Amino acid sequence: MPSESEASRPFLTWQRVIDWAQEHYRCRTFSKDEKIPVRPGLLYLVQRGSVRLVSISQVSATASSTASRFTRRRESNPNVWTPEEAFLGFVGAGQPFEIVAQSPFTIQSYAHVDKTSVIWMYWHDLDNWPHFRREVMDAFRYQHQRKLLWLSTLGQRRTIDRLLGFITLLVEEHGEPCDNGYCLPWTLTHAQIGSAIGSTRVTVTRLMGKLRSRGLIRTQGDNLICLPASDAPKTE
Amino acid sequence: MPSESEASRPFLTWQRVIDWAQEHYRCRTFSKDEKIPVRPGLLYLVQRGSVRLVSISQVSATASSTASRFTRRRESNPNVWTPEEAFLGFVGAGQPFEIVAQSPFTIQSYAHVDKTSVIWMYWHDLDNWPHFRREVMDAFRYQHQRKLLWLSTLGQRRTIDRLLGFITLLVEEHGEPCDNGYCLPWTLTHAQIGSAIGSTRVTVTRLMGKLRSRGLIRTQGDNLICLPASDAPKTE
């Protein structure tokens, strides 16, 4: 029975893997923003929905003072100190993920949309499907290349350039065709965008307005971010 | 004949691969800062020395004006406009790299130190060594995990936190034991560091001074960056 995410799945052996996961109780469905427990040494596959990877920083240049170890979240309760959290990207349906390296950051995963289903397995379970193992490895190679591009834009000096580069890469990876362009299928808050590009919610809101007024991005429906089909900026 | 980089090589089949590369003229040595030509679809292995990955940005939020497409390099000739370049990391001896994804950034590789030797092959050449293929894939998985940590620190809001996180990750990956800590075996200019963390040479120089005075980093010999062995900051 084909699922709605079938079109985007890169794996030929996918249905057999899903069947195996069902038989072995290695599949679980999460609701929006629910934390997905992950352990090093295990391989995870997104069957449906989308997974959001985030990291929590454990280091700070001013570690001697407890208060300054944490970044004040200005947009919420000013008396609450929270560790800084960074958005690291989505893992879409049909894609694998794993979380191994940790120090000095803790990487966590959340269901980004409701009814996100995740399959898990040990690496040696892949011995049953050598061809599938190769597909998983190729998917990680691809993800690695994409992260090099993310690093490229995060090295840019001006925040507005990082913001546009970040949005461009995200829509390239996950965008779906819409009127006159490509649209991110899920919402992302300005605070989440800020956490990815080393900026704040307030600055992101301001710069998103600038990009919109220059015709470099659009928003659609439920605040979904779109890139116009043509690269040429519209003059207004 | 074992080379000086033998200790750091992760691959069991390494010597056979080196022999094969010599026989098939698939090995070349580069001098410091020489560009290493790379093509998508090929796999590269660093036999000796260190490779520096950088990216050149092709996008800017102000693409309509030619002048503002490029970032002014303030520290050199103010009349020269150059595209923004970002440092993406080192690939050390025994490690593989490949460059596939490009748009909207161009990723390039340079010999970071003199006498850097690089082997290249097609992916199907790995069919000869299935075990080696798995080792290469595991190396890419590791690199991918490391880049997630890089993204974690680049999401931090304060430049000094990004700087310390970046140095910590770099020394974790490539550091060698020295007096009371670990030391990066190669120099990296403050401009290169700035290009990785979205900052400028001037700011990096100022913040490196702050980190040094807090005892969070040290420099040694030929301006090599060191992290103290103990995580506890020294009071001065």
Side-chain angles (χ1 to χ4, degrees):
Chain A
M1 202 173 65
S3 75
E4 69 266 42
S5 67
E6 190 174 25
S8 67
R9 70 199 195 193
F11 300 132
L12 303 174
T13 337
W14 196 224
Q15 192 56 53
R16 279 167 57 199
V17 173
I18 291 173
D19 293 345
W20 172 88
Q22 298 281 2
E23 275 165 37
H24 293 76
Y25 306 99
R26 298 283 191 82
C27 185
R28 192 175 140 190
T29 302
F30 297 85
S31 49
K32 181 169 163 54
D33 294 323
E34 193 179 349
K35 187 171 171 178
I36 301 168
V38 287
R39 282 193 293 140
L42 287 174
L43 172 68
Y44 299 84
L45 297 165
V46 182
Q47 185 189 345
R48 190 190 309 252
S50 176
V51 167
R52 179 176 75 242
L53 296 182
V54 300
S55 81
I56 319 284
S57 62
Q58 312 285 326
V59 286
S60 162
T62 49
S64 48
S65 140
T66 307
S68 57
R69 281 190 83 133
F70 300 106
T71 299
R72 201 164 193 164
R73 195 178 274 173
R74 289 194 201 109
E75 51 271 32
S76 62
N77 185 343
N79 295 317
V80 177
W81 298 90
T82 49
E84 214 169 356
E85 192 177 297
F87 170 67
L88 301 182
F90 296 120
V91 187
Q95 286 285 324
F97 70 100
E98 65 174 342
I99 292 175
V100 180
Q102 294 284 351
S103 154
F105 299 93
T106 304
I107 299 182
Q108 296 174 347
S109 56
Y110 294 87
H112 191 66
V113 294
D114 216 21
K115 291 182 187 157
T116 292
S117 298
V118 174
I119 290 168
W120 66 94
M121 59 183 67
Y122 293 92
W123 276 95
H124 62 73
D125 290 330
L126 287 179
D127 294 344
N128 303 324
W129 308 292
H131 189 69
F132 184 61
R133 171 192 285 275
R134 195 179 277 205
E135 289 175 306
V136 166
M137 287 304 202
D138 287 343
F140 279 129
R141 276 173 60 206
Y142 170 79
Q143 289 181 20
H144 179 219
Q145 291 288 317
R146 294 303 300 182
K147 290 313 184 199
L148 289 182
L149 298 182
W150 276 49
L151 289 176
S152 304
T153 196
L154 296 190
Q156 291 185 284
R157 228 170 276 179
R158 296 191 308 159
T159 308
I160 195 166
D161 288 337
R162 295 204 297 275
L163 177 62
L164 182 61
F166 170 80
I167 290 173
T168 303
L169 292 174
L170 214 54
V171 173
E172 267 186 11
E173 281 165 45
H174 303 285
E176 293 175 357
C178 64
D179 303 349
N180 283 322
Y182 287 85
C183 205
L184 210 57
W186 318 291
T187 55
L188 200 58
T189 68
H190 290 182
Q192 285 169 332
I193 295 171
S195 80
I197 65 169
S199 186
T200 62
R201 184 189 64 76
V202 175
T203 303
V204 168
T205 300
R206 183 173 55 81
L207 295 177
M208 292 281 278
K210 262 197 184 174
L211 293 178
R212 251 198 314 271
S213 73
R214 290 181 196 165
L216 294 168
I217 63 167
R218 283 188 299 116
T219 46
Q220 181 175 297
D222 191 19
N223 209 20
L224 298 172
I225 301 170
C226 307
L227 281 186
S230 160
D231 282 325
K234 287 161 195 153
T235 47
E236 296 190 320
Chain B
M1 201 174 67
S3 74
E4 69 267 41
S5 67
E6 190 175 25
S8 67
R9 70 200 195 190
F11 301 131
L12 304 173
T13 338
W14 196 224
Q15 193 55 53
R16 279 165 59 196
V17 173
I18 291 174
D19 293 344
W20 171 89
Q22 297 282 3
E23 276 165 36
H24 293 76
Y25 306 100
R26 297 284 191 83
C27 185
R28 193 175 140 190
T29 301
F30 297 86
S31 50
K32 181 169 163 55
D33 294 322
E34 192 178 350
K35 187 172 172 177
I36 300 168
V38 288
R39 281 192 293 139
L42 286 174
L43 171 69
Y44 299 85
L45 297 165
V46 182
Q47 185 189 345
R48 187 189 313 251
S50 176
V51 167
R52 179 176 74 242
L53 297 182
V54 300
S55 81
I56 320 284
S57 62
Q58 311 285 324
V59 286
S60 163
T62 49
S64 49
S65 137
T66 307
S68 55
R69 282 191 82 131
F70 300 106
T71 299
R72 200 163 193 165
R73 195 178 274 176
R74 290 194 199 108
E75 51 271 31
S76 62
N77 185 343
N79 295 317
V80 176
W81 298 90
T82 50
E84 214 169 354
E85 195 176 294
F87 170 68
L88 301 183
F90 296 120
V91 187
Q95 285 286 321
F97 69 101
E98 65 173 342
I99 293 175
V100 179
Q102 293 285 350
S103 155
F105 299 92
T106 304
I107 299 181
Q108 295 175 348
S109 56
Y110 294 87
H112 190 67
V113 295
D114 217 21
K115 293 183 185 153
T116 292
S117 297
V118 174
I119 290 168
W120 66 96
M121 58 183 67
Y122 293 92
W123 276 96
H124 62 73
D125 290 330
L126 287 180
D127 295 345
N128 303 325
W129 307 292
H131 189 70
F132 185 62
R133 171 192 286 274
R134 195 180 277 205
E135 289 176 306
V136 166
M137 287 304 201
D138 286 343
F140 278 129
R141 274 174 61 205
Y142 170 79
Q143 290 181 19
H144 178 220
Q145 291 288 318
R146 295 302 302 182
K147 290 315 184 199
L148 288 182
L149 298 182
W150 277 49
L151 289 176
S152 304
T153 197
L154 296 188
Q156 291 184 284
R157 230 170 272 180
R158 296 191 309 159
T159 309
I160 195 166
D161 288 337
R162 294 203 298 273
L163 177 61
L164 182 61
F166 170 79
I167 290 173
T168 303
L169 293 174
L170 215 54
V171 173
E172 267 186 10
E173 281 166 46
H174 303 286
E176 293 175 357
C178 64
D179 303 348
N180 281 323
Y182 287 85
C183 205
L184 210 58
W186 318 293
T187 55
L188 199 59
T189 68
H190 289 183
Q192 285 169 332
I193 296 171
S195 80
I197 63 168
S199 185
T200 64
R201 183 188 65 75
V202 175
T203 303
V204 168
T205 299
R206 183 172 57 80
L207 296 177
M208 292 282 278
K210 262 196 184 176
L211 293 178
R212 251 197 314 270
S213 73
R214 289 182 197 166
L216 293 168
I217 65 167
R218 284 190 298 116
T219 48
Q220 180 176 297
D222 191 20
N223 209 22
L224 298 173
I225 301 170
C226 308
L227 280 187
S230 159
D231 282 324
K234 287 162 194 152
T235 48
E236 294 190 323

